[in-house]
Amino acid sequence: MKEPRTKSKHELLPGTLEMLILKTLSIESMHGYGIAQHLQLLSADVLTIEEGSLYPALQRMLVKGWVLAAWKMSANNRRARFYTLTTAGRKQLGVEESRFSQMFGAIMRVMKTT
Amino acid sequence: MGSLLRRLLFLFRRNRFDRDLEDELRVHEEMKAQALADADGLSGDEARAAARRRMGNPLRLREQSREPWTFARVETVAQDVRHALRLIRRDPTFTFAALATLALGIGLNTAIFSVADGVLWRPLPYPNPDRLVIVLSSQQTGTGVRTFATWSPVSYDGLRPRVTALADLAAYDPIDAPLTGRGEPLQLPALDVSPNFFATLGVSPALGRAFHTGAAAPDDDRSAIVSDRLWRTVLKGDPAIVGQSITVDGLPRTIVGVLPPDFSFRPVIRQGTLPEADVFLSNRWPGDTGRNAFLFLLGRMNPGVTEERAVAELTALVNDPSIAPPGALGMEGARASNVHTVARAVGLQEYGTESVRPLLVILLGAVSVVLLIACVNVANLQMARLTARRGELSVRMALGAGRRRIVRQLLTEAVVLSLVGASLGVLLAWIAIDVTLPLVPQSVLPRVGGIMIDARVMAFCVGLSLVSTLLVGLVPALRVSRAAFGEGAALHAGATRTTGDRQGERLRTLLVGAQIAMTLVLLIGAGLLIHSFVRLTSVSPGFEASGRDGVVQTVRVTLPPHLYNEPERMHAFARGVLDRIHYLPGVTSASVINSAPFGMMFIRDEFSIEGQPKPTLDAGRPKIDADYFTTMGIPLLAGREFTARDSAGALNVAIVSERIVRDYFPGGPREALGRRVRLGDHGEWLTVVGVVADIHQRGLDTEVQPMIYVPFQQERAQPFLLRFVSFVARTATPGSVVEGIRAEIRRVAPDLPIEGTVTMDEAVAASVAAPRFRTWLLVLFATTATLIATCGLYGLMAYAVTQRRREIGVRMALGATRRDVLRLVLRRALRIVVAGLVVGLAGAAGVTRVLQRFLFGVTPTDPIAFTIVTLLLMAVGLMAAWLPARRATRIDPCAALRAE
């Protein structure tokens, strides 16, 4: 059977995935699948988060102490592992946001120059 | 810091983590399947399958998720090492071949390095050893620069108080001294030293004190300092030994000190090194105002003083006749009085190693080449195995192993191999040094005591194993990162290939060719040394060391000066013993000489011929008794031998050698008879009564020296020359004759120790010990290299035959005969061998020049050695290829084609 190949190969800038996860978790705690869905939805399917990137990133953030993980019941009554932002994670989000906007602004300035 | 703590905690909760991750990913998969089922209307199973597909390689996902928690480096390294060890155990043939080759290569290098380090580089065990120098002098004469190693006591006394560049200037004189009164009489290696000797070295005794150095001389001629070795053995480690008396050289001496166990001072003399002294005797040589130069001078330069400054100052002092009287008479002859003398300062470390240094450097070069060949071999083996492991590696890549990971894995294997190989190598070196060092002639290696396997050598060995790791691991590892191991080539590899990994094979061929080239260079070096050795040993020494009427046996003694100071007593001693030797059973003829050929002694001096301009050459001046030439088998060309009538009161006579006749008496030997010659500047005129054939006095490779033989019984002016007495006897039963001579000497002089009993054959053999040793070593290295390179060629050809089994089968099916197949394989081998040989020949022609100084009668591009060795290696190479080639002819075409 043929697999529908709809995946867009939009690659993220290095480091942005963690920022996006932090942002997502700053709204509410979420499980891995939920994070991926949330990002795909909000970006209107431009950003497809692959499991191979998502889970290692989550582990890295656990190691760094930016998030905590706990098993909880999900909305549709499934046991799932929910990630919650810590204070350190919230601080990190601020750092990443300002760094990103700086970078983004810089790139845009370059691109607008004619 | 928090993250480190979390990671450490993880180590203990690994199982729970794995469970969590597993559950989490399963939940993820279910959610994804659910979403797919909802969106695309797939059935439950289909949706699950699709979800799983989209999530990619599950193992890799788990690996990657786990990675942030782990100490990845350490863990993968441990994993790689485990894997490498498993592989090494699984493939014993490969492992044995690789380890044996590496151990051989590293072992040889470690052994030679430890020797070179001990002899050349390891700092001497004194404080600031780089400031210690041996002071020599040299003069430019008509025949070249003559270097004088020794000084007279008068010169020493003149120099010591005046020289300002040196903090201290000590003198020493190596002697053999009998120790009596402590059990069995012993002949000990001893050193007469100036009182400041130990202060100059910067060493203090472990027990007692050093000699008093003040102007008052309470120690002179009365005290001794003994070595730790002597104290522990003969003196039984007596803690109260200081203050006790021992009898050395017939005189009582008070022991004032015992040296520390690690003290080492190896006196270097012209002919090599002497054993380390066991007794040090304080001496100022009072009253010795003669011209005899026998003191070696050891100086310690002041801090900040350059060698040039010290030399300049010493040179100025040496040329002041009021300080250093000219005409001092040393082993090398007399220092001319009217010629400018240049002082020289040679570092104590370097002194005596001039001849060894190039040899050791060459040997180091040779063993590095052996190691290189060994590494290439192992790299080649690795590569062959890599091709065989293609399947495994491809599967690992398909399962998600990164290329870097694979390369690291291969390098780890190389590291493990190298380290195990290095450990075996050190063991090998240790055994080699232990076994061979005692066999090494002392003339070859000074400072043997410094040779050991210690931290320095181990560090070198570890460095070597790193280098070999790179050589062994890098080439195969880089091959992996090339195209051959793409994931696509992966799983179906192995089945239908016929030609194998072409690029890899080309590289391997190149490496084998390089091995052959390097081997040829080593072999040619060995060949040159062998040819040179054959040339050397076929030189006739000029005397007949052994013949139909027996061999020439010598027995040497040194008469102690306190008992034999008058020439008459020495004459009487020699004549007394000699007269009895004539009557010993088995003695055909016998005589006496003070400086036997190929012995330690050779005394030269200027000479002149009456009515002729002064010759530029020096002449040897042995003192001999009647029948010397008959005994030695040296042909008499004209006139007569000395007889018993040429004694003290008779006409002073001499016998000259052919060399003198050739240069100064164009009319031939008869012309010389009746003419008069003189030794030194002021000697008496001696009438020539005979002419004898030339001999090699000091070695087969040395030039023939002019000789003026003088009757032992007529020497009066320089009695010290008569202290050294060698009895020579021609006999068919040397063993019993030695015992007889020993008994006769004991009868005349009961306390006199016998110093040496060698036959002239043994003396000649000892003189070529150094070249024989060098030749053996290089032959050993070259043979090792040949063995390794041959295995390399054999391996390559055997592998190629296996790889091309199918092709050969096809050829045979299509009508190729066995001869054709044989030719096919051999031609390929021949091409590699010939290419290697051509490169090797070019290389050898370039580098054999370094052997120049070790070659006798052979040029560095000796066509005989080059031709024979090249043909030999070609034959060996073809033999190595012959076996696989024959195997190729036995391939059954049906079987070969069906098997695939």
Side-chain angles (χ1 to χ4, degrees):
Chain A
M1 202 176 80
K2 255 201 155 163
E3 184 73 17
R5 289 253 167 207
T6 51
K7 274 184 190 171
S8 52
K9 287 276 177 186
H10 290 271
E11 283 186 19
L12 285 171
L13 283 171
T16 35
L17 175 60
E18 290 178 14
M19 180 184 72
L20 293 177
I21 295 173
L22 285 173
K23 182 71 190 169
T24 309
L25 292 181
S26 73
I27 304 162
E28 56 172 333
S29 33
M30 229 176 265
H31 49 68
Y33 182 75
I35 296 170
Q37 288 299 111
H38 178 85
L39 288 176
Q40 197 169 349
L41 206 69
L42 284 190
S43 69
D45 283 354
V46 174
L47 299 177
T48 311
I49 310 301
E50 286 183 40
E51 288 81 359
S53 316
L54 175 65
Y55 283 95
L58 282 170
Q59 302 306 324
R60 271 197 299 278
M61 292 159 77
L62 275 172
V63 170
K64 286 177 183 156
W66 296 344
V67 295
L68 289 175
W71 290 95
K72 282 184 199 157
M73 296 309 277
S74 72
N76 46 5
N77 237 4
R78 246 192 243 272
R79 229 172 77 86
R81 205 175 183 205
F82 277 75
Y83 293 86
T84 318
L85 214 56
T86 63
T87 330
R90 213 168 285 283
K91 213 183 284 169
Q92 184 65 24
L93 176 60
V95 171
E96 304 246 333
E97 258 175 335
S98 67
R99 189 187 294 152
F100 178 77
S101 57
Q102 222 176 357
M103 177 66 72
F104 186 74
I107 293 173
M108 286 316 282
R109 271 196 298 282
V110 171
M111 297 308 289
K112 275 183 198 145
T113 317
T114 49
Chain B
M1 274 294 76
S3 64
L4 184 64
L5 198 69
R6 270 186 288 274
R7 277 162 70 182
L8 283 174
L9 267 174
F10 164 80
L11 288 178
F12 299 99
R13 296 199 205 143
R14 191 182 273 222
N15 287 336
R16 181 158 155 227
F17 172 88
D18 283 343
R19 232 176 20 246
D20 278 351
L21 187 67
E22 200 52 50
D23 289 347
E24 184 174 17
L25 292 177
R26 194 171 32 73
V27 170
H28 186 102
E29 192 185 303
E30 280 167 19
M31 289 179 172
K32 200 158 184 160
Q34 185 67 51
L36 282 172
D38 292 348
D40 303 353
L42 294 171
S43 73
D45 283 350
E46 283 170 339
R48 255 195 298 284
R52 206 173 299 142
R53 262 199 303 282
R54 286 204 192 166
M55 282 175 69
N57 184 336
L59 272 179
R60 194 171 182 176
L61 178 54
R62 279 158 184 73
E63 268 296 299
Q64 284 172 344
S65 302
R66 189 203 293 252
E67 217 171 63
W69 289 99
T70 55
F71 299 89
R73 295 259 151 102
V74 183
E75 284 199 6
T76 49
V77 165
Q79 206 179 4
D80 283 349
V81 169
R82 265 201 307 276
H83 190 80
L85 286 174
R86 209 176 311 135
L87 277 175
I88 282 175
R89 244 176 302 150
R90 208 177 55 192
D91 196 347
T93 326
F94 164 78
T95 307
F96 177 77
L99 285 185
T101 328
L102 281 177
L104 216 54
I106 294 179
L108 281 181
N109 273 274
T110 307
I112 294 296
F113 176 79
S114 71
V115 171
D117 186 46
V119 174
L120 301 181
W121 300 313
R122 188 193 307 278
L124 296 170
Y126 320 112
N128 298 317
D130 50 319
R131 293 203 198 127
L132 290 169
V133 291
I134 296 283
V135 180
L136 313 167
S137 65
S138 60
Q139 285 187 333
Q140 181 74 45
T141 67
T143 49
V145 176
R146 267 172 71 178
T147 299
F148 305 89
T150 49
W151 303 79
S152 67
V154 179
S155 303
Y156 170 58
D157 285 338
L159 287 174
R160 192 175 50 82
R162 290 180 178 81
V163 64
T164 59
L166 303 178
D168 244 324
L169 181 64
Y172 67 89
D173 173 26
I175 55 170
D176 278 322
L179 172 75
T180 45
R182 293 259 173 184
E184 188 106 338
L186 280 173
Q187 185 78 357
L188 291 178
L191 226 48
D192 256 351
V193 297
S194 57
N196 63 347
F197 178 75
F198 292 103
T200 307
L201 284 179
V203 174
S204 324
L207 286 179
R209 58 169 175 87
F211 296 124
H212 287 305
T213 53
D219 279 338
D220 288 6
D221 294 331
R222 269 187 274 144
S223 358
I225 289 177
V226 296
S227 70
D228 181 76
R229 183 176 46 245
L230 187 74
W231 176 57
R232 278 179 205 285
T233 55
V234 178
L235 304 176
K236 310 205 162 49
D238 182 354
I241 196 71
V242 171
Q244 292 186 30
S245 177
I246 51 173
T247 306
V248 182
D249 219 356
L251 296 173
R253 296 264 188 171
T254 308
I255 296 178
V256 299
V258 178
L259 291 167
D262 57 350
F263 176 80
S264 161
F265 182 81
R266 194 163 274 271
V268 180
I269 56 167
R270 241 186 118 88
Q271 289 85 354
T273 46
L274 297 171
E276 293 202 14
D278 276 323
V279 184
F280 298 81
L281 306 171
S282 152
N283 203 334
R284 297 190 198 215
W285 304 277
D288 192 337
T289 53
R291 295 160 66 217
N292 302 326
F294 52 89
L295 295 179
F296 289 85
L297 298 193
L298 170 72
R300 177 177 281 279
M301 293 193 291
N302 273 316
V305 169
T306 61
E307 217 168 273
E308 290 76 45
R309 220 201 92 196
V311 165
E313 189 189 8
L314 284 163
T315 298
L317 290 171
V318 165
N319 285 293
D320 182 342
S322 68
I323 294 171
L329 190 67
M331 289 281 192
E332 300 84 4
R335 219 168 53 218
S337 44
N338 48 354
V339 179
H340 182 71
T341 307
V342 180
R344 290 177 48 204
V346 180
L348 183 57
Q349 175 105 346
E350 285 89 60
Y351 186 58
T353 61
E354 298 96 335
S355 60
V356 200
R357 191 175 295 269
L359 174 67
L360 286 174
V361 170
I362 288 171
L363 289 179
L364 271 179
V367 289
S368 340
V369 173
V370 173
L371 181 63
L372 209 60
I373 294 175
C375 287
V376 166
N377 227 25
V378 178
N380 243 343
L381 280 173
Q382 276 275 54
M383 248 155 52
R385 216 165 54 121
L386 206 61
T387 314
R389 279 169 67 188
R390 227 165 121 119
E392 174 211 327
L393 293 176
S394 299
V395 167
R396 293 185 59 185
M397 281 189 163
L399 290 178
R403 230 158 238 160
R404 280 174 63 181
R405 185 74 180 69
I406 298 272
V407 168
R408 204 161 60 193
Q409 157 82 53
L410 290 172
L411 279 179
T412 310
E413 281 179 41
V415 170
V416 170
L417 274 179
S418 295
L419 283 183
V420 178
S423 323
L424 292 174
V426 170
L427 202 68
L428 204 69
W430 191 58
I431 294 171
I433 286 181
D434 240 33
V435 171
T436 51
L437 218 50
L439 307 178
V440 177
Q442 206 170 70
S443 50
V444 180
L445 285 183
R447 295 189 64 205
V448 176
I451 298 170
M452 58 184 98
I453 293 187
D454 63 351
R456 278 165 72 97
V457 177
M458 290 304 278
F460 174 80
C461 187
V462 169
L464 272 189
S465 67
L466 285 183
V467 170
S468 64
T469 300
L470 282 184
L471 289 172
V472 166
L474 215 54
V475 176
L478 287 180
R479 289 280 310 129
V480 175
S481 52
R482 297 275 166 74
F485 292 86
E487 284 161 43
L491 301 165
H492 56 266
T496 52
R497 279 173 305 109
T498 50
T499 48
D501 164 16
R502 285 241 166 139
Q503 212 188 343
E505 206 168 305
R506 202 171 315 134
L507 189 58
R508 299 189 57 205
T509 308
L510 205 69
L511 289 178
V512 169
Q515 277 186 318
I516 288 176
M518 291 188 281
T519 304
L520 184 68
V521 174
L522 282 184
L523 269 179
I524 285 181
L528 286 173
L529 285 190
I530 292 176
H531 191 193
S532 153
F533 188 71
V534 169
R535 279 281 172 89
L536 179 63
T537 46
S538 60
V539 168
S540 161
F543 48 83
E544 194 194 43
S546 56
R548 215 178 310 159
D549 49 351
V551 302
V552 178
Q553 174 73 51
T554 68
V555 176
R556 186 166 59 92
V557 294
T558 304
L559 301 176
H562 63 275
L563 294 177
Y564 294 88
N565 45 9
E566 315 263 294
E568 288 74 21
R569 300 198 60 167
M570 302 175 173
H571 294 159
F573 167 81
R575 187 49 67 83
V577 175
L578 183 58
D579 281 345
R580 305 283 293 234
I581 292 176
H582 283 298
Y583 296 107
L584 288 175
V587 171
T588 321
S589 65
S591 187
V592 163
I593 183 168
N594 71 335
S595 51
F598 292 81
M600 295 284 275
M601 297 281 297
F602 179 56
I603 299 150
R604 293 193 297 172
D605 210 343
E606 303 164 66
F607 73 102
S608 27
I609 300 167
E610 200 175 30
Q612 293 211 21
K614 194 168 167 68
T616 50
L617 288 171
D618 290 342
R621 44 183 299 188
K623 315 293 168 205
I624 59 170
D625 215 319
D627 287 341
Y628 174 74
F629 300 110
T630 312
T631 309
M632 291 291 285
I634 300 172
L636 188 68
L637 303 177
R640 62 168 177 92
E641 277 216 51
F642 296 140
T643 67
R645 280 191 298 280
D646 294 313
S647 55
L651 174 74
N652 287 325
V653 291
I655 292 175
V656 298
S657 70
E658 201 181 353
R659 173 81 201 267
I660 292 179
V661 170
R662 201 165 57 235
D663 288 2
Y664 303 103
F665 299 104
R670 303 223 149 264
E671 190 193 336
L673 297 180
R675 303 286 291 270
R676 297 209 298 171
V677 294
R678 188 168 74 172
L679 284 160
D681 284 338
H682 313 287
E684 291 175 64
W685 287 104
L686 315 168
T687 306
V688 176
V689 295
V691 176
V692 289
D694 284 324
I695 61 159
H696 289 272
Q697 168 77 21
R698 314 193 60 182
L700 295 173
D701 56 344
T702 55
E703 215 189 325
V704 165
Q705 309 263 354
M707 301 286 258
I708 296 178
Y709 297 90
V710 179
F712 192 92
Q713 301 290 334
Q714 286 188 346
E715 176 64 55
R716 298 188 44 84
Q718 294 167 334
F720 77 99
L721 292 177
L722 301 180
R723 286 181 54 208
F724 314 99
V725 181
S726 287
F727 296 99
V728 296
R730 182 170 288 272
T731 169
T733 53
S736 67
V737 166
V738 166
E739 282 319 303
I741 296 176
R742 202 189 280 276
E744 291 306 330
I745 292 172
R746 200 174 302 134
R747 196 182 48 80
V748 176
D751 275 344
L752 196 61
I754 309 288
E755 282 170 27
T757 60
V758 292
T759 64
M760 285 314 294
D761 274 329
E762 287 162 352
V764 173
S767 78
V768 295
R772 175 184 291 129
F773 178 69
R774 300 195 272 273
T775 308
W776 266 116
L777 272 189
L778 211 56
V779 167
L780 176 73
F781 299 160
T783 314
T784 310
T786 311
L787 209 67
I788 298 175
T790 311
C791 289
L793 182 65
Y794 169 80
L796 181 75
M797 295 318 294
Y799 177 77
V801 166
T802 316
Q803 288 286 306
R804 295 170 72 178
R805 214 173 125 83
R806 192 179 146 96
E807 179 202 328
I808 293 169
V810 171
R811 279 172 189 265
M812 288 178 93
L814 292 178
T817 62
R818 305 213 145 167
R819 274 180 73 110
D820 294 332
V821 172
L822 200 65
R823 208 177 299 142
L824 179 78
V825 179
L826 284 184
R827 200 188 301 136
R828 206 172 107 79
L830 195 64
R831 217 177 300 144
I832 302 174
V833 172
V834 167
L837 290 180
V838 168
V839 175
L841 278 174
V847 302
T848 47
R849 251 176 305 125
V850 301
L851 289 174
Q852 178 93 62
R853 66 183 294 164
F854 300 115
L855 295 181
F856 175 82
V858 171
T859 63
T861 49
D862 175 44
I864 297 179
F866 270 64
T867 313
I868 292 181
V869 165
T870 308
L871 290 178
L872 192 79
L873 188 55
M874 176 126 81
V876 170
L878 282 185
M879 283 226 310
W882 175 259
L883 291 175
R886 228 176 40 155
R887 190 133 38 88
T889 64
R890 303 239 170 93
I891 288 174
D892 177 355
C894 300
L897 292 174
R898 210 179 306 127
E900 301 269 338

